[in-house]
Amino acid sequence: MKKKISFQGLQGAFSDLVCRKFYKSYETLPCNTFEQTIDAVEKNLAEIALIPVENNIAGRVADMHFLLEKISLKIVAEHYHKIEHHLMAKKNSSLDDIKNVYSHIHALSQCRKKILKNKLNPVNFIDTAGAAKFVSENEESSHAAIASDLASQIYKLKILIRNFQDSKNNITRFLVFSKKSMKINKKKKVITSIIFNTKNLPASLYKALGGFAANGINLTRLESFFVNKDFKQFSFLIDVESHPELSNFKNALQELDNYSSKIKILGHYEASPFRKEIN
């Protein structure tokens, strides 16, 4: 029996494509929401879960930070994937027929110039694969979808324009979650992800992060987000280049603890080879 990897969306979603690319021996398990994607692992319906967290054009994925706050799973891997959006329609449709184009709001925004150029009406849909499925099941020949090559194959749609996105450099970062952390050689380049809340003291964030600089640890990501509705409490999400078992990391963590009211290590994982390409 094949191991399963859960993802949010229908079959043919970009997350599904990334699952199949990096975890070829796994069977993909579609889920309706990010919460259900995580629950699938917690309930032993899947071994691991893959979730997109940020895109270099659209920014961070909404709601993921709040999920990370309460999640019990550990991050065990990261993957970067180049997103290639394709304009697709039913086999009997031509580009001249198309009036409405359906897709996820991020996909529509990433193809905005091409949509305007082709004088199409953008219609927001729950996800890219769902849009492809909708177009395939709809009798209207004036409808098209923006989705992945995989979605065109699954829903038997014809690609009218390949690489419909405005930017060629459209990269999404995905994280993989599991119940258990992975054992990684300390000599490898490792990323550790941490969420923390600072104490209500002057310059607390500056002092909290100072321990990483003092211990020669590079900070590759820093984001803040509100943890309640009255905008009174901030949480911070950081990625650092260090194995959590190294002494300099432990020293930096102690300094972080001195100025934080809460610290949660989300996981550590081997740095993606893609990081070398962008450095």
Side-chain angles (χ1 to χ4, degrees), residues 32-179:
N32 291 329
T33 65
F34 289 138
E35 287 84 355
Q36 288 177 12
T37 306
I38 294 299
D39 284 345
V41 178
E42 291 178 338
K43 294 175 181 176
N44 297 316
L45 299 174
E47 276 69 35
I48 52 178
L50 180 136
I51 290 180
V53 290
E54 55 187 329
N55 177 272
N56 65 331
I57 296 171
R60 67 189 185 191
V61 175
D63 299 329
M64 262 311 298
H65 292 70
F66 302 105
L67 189 60
L68 291 173
E69 274 266 303
K70 58 184 180 181
I71 202 169
S72 62
L73 303 182
K74 294 293 184 182
I75 303 171
V76 295
E78 67 171 355
H79 299 292
Y80 289 83
H81 180 73
K82 184 177 181 181
I83 302 298
E84 294 179 338
H85 292 299
H86 306 305
L87 182 70
M88 58 192 69
K90 293 172 77 72
K91 302 260 174 154
N92 60 351
S93 297
S94 68
L95 187 58
D96 292 335
D97 298 326
I98 305 306
K99 294 178 181 177
N100 300 313
V101 58
Y102 296 80
S103 198
H104 186 271
I105 189 169
H106 280 183
L108 293 173
S109 68
Q110 291 164 23
C111 302
R112 187 178 62 85
K113 292 179 182 177
K114 295 279 181 68
I115 291 171
L116 288 171
K117 181 182 177 181
N118 288 275
K119 297 178 182 178
L120 303 177
N121 175 45
V123 183
N124 188 20
F125 213 84
I126 190 167
D127 62 25
T128 57
K133 186 173 186 286
F134 169 76
V135 170
S136 73
E137 295 173 347
N138 196 288
E139 294 182 4
E140 182 59 61
S141 61
S142 64
H143 292 341
I146 294 171
S148 69
D149 189 32
L150 178 62
S152 74
Q153 296 172 35
I154 291 173
Y155 301 108
K156 296 179 172 57
L157 295 176
K158 176 175 66 175
I159 294 180
L160 301 174
I161 302 178
R162 285 193 170 273
N163 295 312
F164 198 62
Q165 67 275 5
D166 296 329
S167 173
K168 292 180 181 178
N169 185 34
N170 185 352
I171 310 294
T172 295
R173 181 183 181 223
F174 296 82
L175 295 178
V176 179
F177 297 83
S178 175
K179 280 188 174 182

Side-chain angles (χ1 to χ4, degrees), residues 189-225:
K189 186 175 181 180
V190 172
I191 306 297
T192 300
S193 296
I194 306 167
I195 277 184
F196 65 95
N197 298 347
T198 54
K199 292 178 180 177
N200 190 19
L201 298 169
S204 58
L205 177 62
Y206 173 79
K207 293 174 181 176
L209 296 178
F212 293 103
N215 285 279
I217 296 174
N218 187 33
L219 200 74
T220 63
R221 183 187 189 193
L222 169 61
E223 290 189 39
S224 63
F225 58 99

